[in-house]
């Protein structure tokens, strides 16, 4: 019986190698408490129980028993652990274990419990607590399942027998280690004789060779999975596999007809579509892609064919213009071929086909045609009106050969500058053209058929107005620049450039030079290219004491014909600079003498400086430019200082000493270029001295009235002092003016406006000046 089978398989009774329970017997021997070791009499490992029990009574699991149980109901059995009391129950007296509910192995395959045998009276354990397992035994209660079904697969058409298609796998929740409940066998219920399946692995392969996609593309296979090794009574399930035959290039393209008739008007433009042809290919996708080509021939060179990859059509386009009067039809062959070939099927024949195309040209009355797509004409500016500058020509290509009439299409007012002969097509000027106003004119000429005025053609004509070299270049030069006293020989002190209003502004070549009749000993002009030049020093001994301003004429000439040139003047000031070239000062500065100079000598120098400032300011006020000497350099301001000290006659190299031989006054001579005072003998006469004195007084009066009097004269200063000098003292106030030791210089203001400024500089406390000063 089933109960006996479980009792047989659960040999749990008493194994001697397990631990024994120590039991206190309470016996006293010779007055001592004796402890007796009791040998364990029972042990069990596991029980088995069938899943899915459907009986009305609780299912018997097994029995617990100990050797200490003599059947007198003195032993009590207890049960604890997983499911104790809820799933499993035990008879406390007999030790019988029952399952109260049906179990499912797929939910839980085993339970772990603990058993204990105790004395029913005292509750003292008779054996150590033991652990055992109740294992749920599997029955075939789960059919195989396809977790990913239904399935889809593909295999190339024309595949040989046994070609792998796909593999499917079914799962069974039953115990694979016990019996055949989870042993699955696969079989095809529907889909033969095209496909087969391996009964153990579930691999599906082709069973029929050369299946053609063009005949049948999709197949549906019904696959069964059965457990119990496919035996009778096993559980089974099915799934569907949709198998598609993928395409291979096993069909060549074919034209539906052998000749295609197309028509095109002779007025069709180059690149326009003439017509479409198509070859059919039973294949799909890239295997059906075709290339179309025109078979080389004399009549096919006017056309081209373009392959449309989406529609698989060949579009015939026009490569050259057609003329019905010259040729009325064209015949050529077109070939269609697959772009991708499969070498396995080349034996099926050539994968291309050809057809004949006949193109008929339709006669169309066309407008006139110009000999050129556009015209360009050149004319010089200021050309007299009525001058013919060019012509246009159009023809009627039709058989009627109509006469042509020409006209101008006006878009703007400037188009009225031209006229056209309506019969000859010659274009002439209506007025003078100015390149500076418009460099070019865009004119539209219209050619119209006399027999059909609705047919006309337009052509653009560009009239380029060429430049006449009428403008001289203009020098882009600053008003003035400076040169450092410590400049080196060959140093570039200023860059200059030029511009020209003539055409073209880009590409002009300018040349920079000095005037031919002048040779400047101080500066030269060096051409650096790119229409720029540099002002370069020719020596290094520039001194403001000797000359503080230079005038440099610069000539710039263009490369046109005839050449045009202009002259500009650059003012160069001599300035004091730092060793690195940084500008310090360009104004007149006081030259401080050694500390050992007497107070009178220092005052004389300061008076001289003040006088120079006054003369310079008065000269700036006048617009009439005066110069000391006539020079090729066109010098505007030339200040020469002779600041020698001691016996003046000892210096005989700088100037003619006879000039100083005037004992009546101390001469500061300023000579106007329009009234030269020095005679050719180099000596000053009595009359000359009187003229010089009057001129100085006139200039002093101008300088006292305004500080901004402009001076364009040349001032020569002879500053000799001492007993040995014929000129005597430089002071214009003679010996009568004595400096007060108190340091009060306010009395200098009696000599005029410039000396008031000098007094305010020398005085420690600036004097109170009048509103006029």
């Amino acid at each position: 019986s089933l109960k006996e089978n479980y009792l047989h398989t659960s040999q749990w009774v008493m194994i001697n190698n397990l631990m024994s329970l120590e039991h206190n017997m309470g016996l006293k021997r010779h007055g001592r408490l004796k402890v007796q070791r009791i040998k364990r009499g029972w042990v069990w490992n596991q029980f088995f129980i069938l899943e899915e029990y459907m009986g009305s009574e609780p299912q018997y699991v097994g029995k617990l028993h100990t050797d200490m149980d003599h059947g007198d109901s003195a032993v009590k059995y207890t049960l604890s652990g997983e499911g104790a009391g809820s799933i499993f129950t035990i008879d406390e007296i007999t030790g019988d274990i029952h399952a109260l509910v049906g179990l499912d192995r797929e939910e839980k395959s085993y339970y772990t419990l603990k058993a204990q045998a105790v004395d029913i009276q005292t509750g003292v354990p008779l054996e150590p607590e033991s652990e055992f397992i109740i294992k749920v035994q599997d029955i075939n209660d789960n059919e195989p399942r396809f977790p990913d079904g239904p399935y889809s697969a593909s295999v190339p058409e024309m595949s040989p027998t046994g070609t792998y298609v796909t593999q499917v796998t079914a799962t069974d929740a039953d115990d694979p280690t016990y019996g055949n409940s989870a042993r699955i066998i696969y079989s095809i219920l529907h889909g033969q004789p095209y496909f087969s399946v391996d009964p153990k692995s579930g691999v599906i392969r082709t069973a029929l060779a050369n299946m053609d996609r063009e005949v049948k593309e999709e197949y549906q296979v019904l696959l069964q999975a059965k457990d119990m090794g496919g035996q009778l009574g096993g559980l089974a399930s099915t799934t569907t596999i949709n198998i598609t035959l993928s395409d291979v290039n096993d069909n060549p393209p074919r034209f539906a007809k052998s000749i295609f008739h197309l028509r095109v008007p002779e007025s069709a433009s180059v690149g326009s579509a003439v017509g479409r042809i198509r070859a059919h290919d039973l294949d799909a996708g890239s295997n059906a892609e075709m290339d179309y080509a025109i078979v080389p021939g004399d009549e096919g060179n006017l056309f081209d064919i373009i392959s449309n990859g989406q529609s698989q059509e060949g579009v015939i386009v026009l490569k050259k213009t057609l003329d019905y009067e010259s040729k009325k039809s064209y015949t050529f062959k077109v070939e269609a071929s697959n772009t991708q070939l499969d070498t396995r099927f080349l034996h099926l024949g050539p994968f291309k086909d050809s057809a004949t195309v006949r193109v008929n040209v339709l006669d169309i009355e066309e407008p006139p045609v110009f000999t050129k797509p556009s015209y360009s004409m050149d004319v010089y500016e200021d050309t007299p009106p009525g001058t013919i500058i060019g012509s246009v020509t159009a023809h009627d290509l039709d058989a009627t050969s109509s006469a042509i009439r020409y006209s101008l299409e006006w878009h703007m007012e400037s188009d009225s500058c031209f006229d056209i002969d309506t019969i000859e097509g010659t274009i002439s000027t209506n007025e003078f053209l100015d390149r500076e106003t418009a460099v070019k004119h865009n004119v539209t000429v219209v050619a119209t058929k006399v027999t059909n005025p609705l047919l006309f053609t337009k052509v653009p004509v560009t009239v380029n107005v060429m430049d006449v070299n009428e403008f001289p270049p203009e020098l882009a030069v600053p008003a003035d620049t400076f040169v450092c006293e410590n400049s080196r020989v060959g140093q570039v002190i200023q860059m200059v450039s030029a511009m020209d209003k003539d055409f073209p502004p880009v590409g002009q070549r300018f040349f920079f030079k000095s005037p031919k009749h002048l040779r400047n000993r101080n500066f030269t002009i060096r051409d650096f290219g790119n229409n720029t030049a540099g002002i370069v020093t020719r020596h290094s001994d520039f001194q403001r004491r000797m000359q503080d301003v230079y005038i440099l004429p610069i000539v710039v000439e263009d490369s046109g014909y005839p050449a045009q040139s202009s002259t500009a003047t650059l003012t160069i000031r001599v300035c004091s600079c730092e060793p690195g070239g940084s500008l310090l000062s360009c104004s007149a500065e006081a030259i401080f003498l050694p500390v050992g100079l007497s107070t009178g000598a220092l005052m004389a120098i300061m008076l001289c400086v003040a006088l120079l400032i006054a003369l310079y300011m008065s000269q700036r006020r006048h617009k009439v430019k005066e110069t000391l000497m006539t020079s090729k350099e066109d010098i505007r301001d030339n200040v020469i200082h002779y600041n020698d000290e001691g016996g003046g006659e000892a210096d005989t190299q700088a100037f003619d000493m006879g000039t100083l031989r005037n004992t009546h006054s101390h001469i500061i001579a300023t000579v106007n270029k329009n009234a030269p005072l020095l005679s050719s003998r180099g000596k000053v006469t009595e009359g000359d001295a009187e003229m010089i004195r009057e001129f100085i007084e006139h200039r002093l009066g101008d300088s006292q009235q305004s500080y901004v009097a402009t001076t364009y004269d040349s001032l020569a200063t002879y500053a000799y002092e001492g007993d040995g000098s014929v000129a005597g003292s430089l002071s214009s106030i003679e010996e009568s003016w004595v400096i007060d030791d108190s340091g009060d210089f306010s009395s200098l203001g009696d000599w005029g406006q410039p000396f008031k400024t000098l007094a305010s500089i020398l005085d420690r406390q600036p004097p109170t000046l009048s509103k006029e000063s």
Side-chain angles (χ1 to χ4, degrees):
S1 67
L2 182 61
K3 181 177 180 180
E4 293 175 345
N5 179 45
Y6 273 98
L7 290 175
H8 176 72
T9 56
S10 58
Q11 299 294 330
W12 42 271
V13 222
M14 313 318 165
I15 301 175
N16 294 327
N17 59 347
L18 296 176
M19 297 178 59
S20 298
L21 176 66
E22 295 184 356
H23 179 63
N24 298 327
M25 300 301 295
L27 300 176
K28 290 185 179 181
R29 183 175 295 179
H30 305 291
R32 293 183 298 175
L33 180 63
K34 295 293 184 179
V35 178
Q36 184 180 0
R37 182 179 297 273
I38 303 301
K39 184 179 180 181
R40 172 179 292 182
W42 59 280
V43 162
W44 53 92
N45 289 326
Q46 65 180 0
F47 296 98
F48 291 91
I49 182 173
L50 284 176
E51 66 171 335
E52 305 294 346
Y53 175 71
M54 304 297 293
S56 59
E57 298 293 333
Q59 185 180 4
Y60 181 77
V61 177
K63 185 181 182 64
L64 299 181
H65 184 74
T66 177
D67 291 344
M68 293 185 176
D69 186 357
H70 301 293
D72 53 0
S73 301
V75 178
K76 177 184 177 181
Y77 297 95
T78 62
L79 191 65
S80 63
E82 294 179 333
S86 58
I87 299 176
F88 303 101
T89 182
I90 189 172
D91 189 310
E92 296 180 350
I93 303 301
T94 63
D96 292 331
I97 302 175
H98 290 82
L100 301 176
V101 296
L103 303 178
D104 187 358
R105 189 200 66 85
E106 285 69 41
E107 292 184 1
K108 190 172 181 61
S109 59
Y110 67 91
Y111 297 84
T112 302
L113 296 99
K114 295 181 180 180
Q116 181 77 63
V118 299
D119 188 286
I120 196 171
Q121 296 295 331
T122 63
V124 177
L126 301 177
E127 296 285 349
E129 187 180 55
S130 296
E131 185 178 82
F132 66 97
I133 293 175
I134 298 177
K135 187 173 183 180
V136 182
Q137 192 171 25
D138 183 51
I139 63 173
N140 191 18
D141 59 341
N142 292 279
E143 72 276 4
R145 296 183 181 277
F146 293 95
D148 300 325
Y151 300 87
S152 296
S154 65
V155 62
E157 63 173 331
M158 310 303 289
S159 296
T161 302
T163 302
Y164 175 86
V165 179
T166 187
Q167 182 180 14
V168 296
T169 303
T171 60
D172 196 319
D174 291 325
D175 188 359
T177 64
Y178 180 77
N180 295 325
S181 298
R183 182 185 172 195
I184 300 174
I185 297 298
Y186 300 94
S187 61
I188 291 179
L189 302 181
H190 177 74
Q192 295 175 337
Y194 305 105
F195 301 97
S196 63
V197 64
D198 185 282
K200 294 183 179 180
S201 63
V203 173
I204 299 175
R205 301 179 184 272
T206 58
L208 188 64
N210 300 326
M211 288 185 290
D212 193 354
R213 185 196 68 85
E214 287 72 35
V215 176
K216 186 176 182 179
E217 183 176 4
E218 294 184 353
Y219 296 84
Q220 191 175 71
V221 176
L222 184 61
L223 185 67
Q224 175 185 266
K226 189 175 183 181
D227 60 12
M228 297 298 292
Q231 297 177 5
L232 185 63
L235 302 178
S237 63
T238 60
T239 188
T240 301
I241 305 170
N242 297 312
I243 301 176
T244 302
L245 295 183
S246 59
D247 184 62
V248 297
N249 192 8
D250 58 341
N251 293 281
R254 290 289 181 264
F255 283 105
K257 52 186 178 180
S258 60
I259 185 169
F260 293 86
H261 293 277
L262 303 176
R263 295 186 300 173
V264 58
E266 64 173 337
S267 59
S269 60
V270 174
S272 60
V274 176
R276 298 171 181 266
I277 62 174
R278 181 179 180 182
H280 297 274
D281 194 322
L282 297 178
D283 294 322
S286 61
N287 295 319
E289 292 180 357
M290 288 173 284
D291 274 341
Y292 293 89
I294 295 177
V295 178
D298 294 337
E299 295 188 356
N301 57 1
L302 270 72
F303 304 91
D304 196 3
I305 190 167
I306 300 174
S307 301
N308 189 323
Q310 294 182 350
S311 63
Q312 299 302 323
E313 292 179 325
V315 182
I316 298 176
V317 296
L318 195 61
K319 288 175 60 178
K320 299 179 181 178
T321 56
L322 301 176
D323 185 12
Y324 175 82
E325 288 73 24
S326 300
K327 193 173 180 62
K328 297 178 175 58
S329 66
Y330 298 86
T331 303
F332 52 90
K333 280 191 173 183
V334 174
E335 187 176 79
S337 59
N338 283 136
T339 59
Q340 299 183 11
L341 299 179
D342 194 329
T343 56
R344 297 176 299 171
F345 306 105
L346 293 179
H347 64 280
L348 298 179
F351 283 78
K352 60 183 178 180
D353 195 15
S354 61
T356 301
V357 177
R358 183 178 180 85
V359 179
N360 296 317
V361 182
L362 304 179
D363 185 24
I364 300 294
E365 189 176 7
E366 302 170 281
V369 177
F370 282 96
T371 56
K372 296 180 181 179
S374 63
Y375 293 85
S376 179
M377 303 174 185
D378 297 331
V379 59
Y380 281 99
E381 61 179 335
D382 298 330
T383 298
T387 303
I388 296 177
I389 62 176
S391 64
V392 297
T393 304
H395 301 284
D396 181 14
L397 302 181
D398 292 331
T400 58
S401 187
S402 173
I404 305 299
R405 291 294 180 265
Y406 301 96
S407 62
L408 291 178
E409 184 179 70
W410 286 13
H411 296 285
M412 55 185 64
E413 185 178 353
S414 61
D415 293 339
S416 62
C417 298
F418 305 95
D419 196 4
I420 189 169
D421 189 288
T422 58
I423 298 176
E424 300 296 333
T426 57
I427 299 176
S428 58
T429 59
N430 267 345
E431 56 187 58
F432 289 99
L433 303 178
D434 185 11
R435 188 203 66 83
E436 284 66 40
T437 302
V439 176
K440 66 179 180 180
H441 297 266
N442 295 318
V443 181
T444 301
V445 177
V446 182
T448 307
K449 294 178 67 170
V450 175
T451 58
N452 188 355
L454 296 179
L455 295 177
F456 58 88
T457 305
K458 299 180 182 180
V459 68
V461 178
T462 302
V463 180
N464 300 309
V465 182
M466 295 187 297
D467 182 49
V468 175
N469 193 22
E470 55 183 336
F471 292 98
E474 298 178 359
L475 192 68
V477 62
D480 57 13
T481 185
F482 70 93
V483 60
C484 296
E485 289 182 313
N486 56 355
S487 295
R488 305 182 307 274
V489 177
Q491 181 174 343
V492 179
I493 64 172
Q494 181 65 48
M495 296 296 295
V496 295
S497 60
M499 62 183 71
D500 197 331
K501 295 181 180 179
D502 290 316
F503 182 83
V506 179
Q508 284 272 26
R509 179 71 172 93
F510 301 119
F511 304 94
F512 303 87
K513 55 187 176 181
S514 298
K516 294 182 179 179
H517 61 282
L518 296 178
R519 175 173 175 79
N520 197 298
R521 296 173 298 173
N522 303 301
F523 305 96
T524 184
I525 303 173
R526 182 181 301 170
D527 197 328
F528 288 100
N530 295 327
N531 293 335
T532 59
I535 309 303
V536 183
T537 59
R538 302 187 71 171
H539 59 81
S540 60
D541 54 345
F542 294 96
Q543 299 182 20
R544 285 185 298 165
R545 295 183 299 106
M546 304 299 296
Q547 184 171 348
D548 60 353
V549 176
Y550 293 89
I551 304 300
L552 179 65
I554 302 175
V555 177
V556 57
E557 183 177 290
D558 61 18
S559 57
Y561 183 82
Q564 299 283 353
S565 64
S566 64
T567 303
T569 302
L570 177 65
T571 302
I572 304 174
R573 295 177 298 154
V574 181
C575 299
S576 176
C577 304
E578 294 181 352
S582 301
L583 182 64
L584 289 178
S585 173
C586 294
S587 59
E589 297 178 356
I591 303 175
F592 293 94
L593 300 179
V595 180
L597 292 177
S598 63
T599 303
L602 180 60
M603 290 303 302
I605 294 175
M606 295 300 295
L607 287 174
C608 180
V609 172
L611 182 58
L612 291 177
I613 293 174
L615 291 177
Y616 176 71
M617 297 300 291
S618 65
Q619 286 297 93
R620 290 186 58 186
R621 183 181 179 186
H622 287 270
K623 296 183 179 179
V624 180
K625 300 181 181 180
E626 299 176 353
T627 135
L628 176 63
M629 61 182 71
T630 301
S631 172
K632 296 181 180 180
E633 298 176 355
D634 190 21
I635 298 174
R636 298 177 62 180
D637 292 324
N638 189 4
V639 181
I640 305 172
H641 300 273
Y642 296 94
N643 297 329
D644 292 338
E645 187 176 2
E649 290 79 6
D651 187 357
T652 59
Q653 297 180 358
F655 52 88
D656 189 358
M657 293 300 297
T659 308
L660 302 177
R661 293 172 183 173
N662 189 330
T663 59
H664 299 282
S665 65
H666 311 293
I667 302 174
I668 299 177
T670 303
V671 185
N672 189 292
K673 64 179 181 179
N674 297 323
L677 303 179
L678 297 179
S679 64
S680 59
R681 298 186 305 275
K683 296 186 179 181
V684 182
T685 63
E686 188 69 19
D688 294 337
E690 184 63 22
M691 293 175 62
I692 293 172
R693 186 177 301 105
E694 292 176 359
F695 183 80
I696 291 175
E697 291 175 355
H698 174 69
R699 292 300 187 194
L700 285 175
D702 292 343
S703 64
Q704 291 176 358
Q705 296 176 5
S706 173
Y707 280 109
V708 295
T710 57
T711 58
Y712 293 97
D713 51 1
S714 185
L715 180 66
T717 303
Y718 303 94
Y720 286 87
E721 187 176 6
D723 297 333
S725 173
V726 178
S729 174
L730 290 176
S731 175
S732 59
I733 59 177
E734 300 294 342
E735 301 289 336
S736 61
W737 189 77
V738 180
I739 300 176
D740 190 4
D741 293 339
S742 62
D744 184 10
F745 301 98
S746 60
S747 58
L748 290 174
D750 298 335
W751 291 85
Q753 185 68 23
F755 295 92
K756 291 181 180 181
T757 303
L758 181 61
S760 64
I761 295 174
L762 297 178
D763 203 330
R764 295 180 182 177
Q765 299 294 332
T768 302
L769 301 179
S770 64
K771 182 177 181 181
E772 179 184 358
S773 62

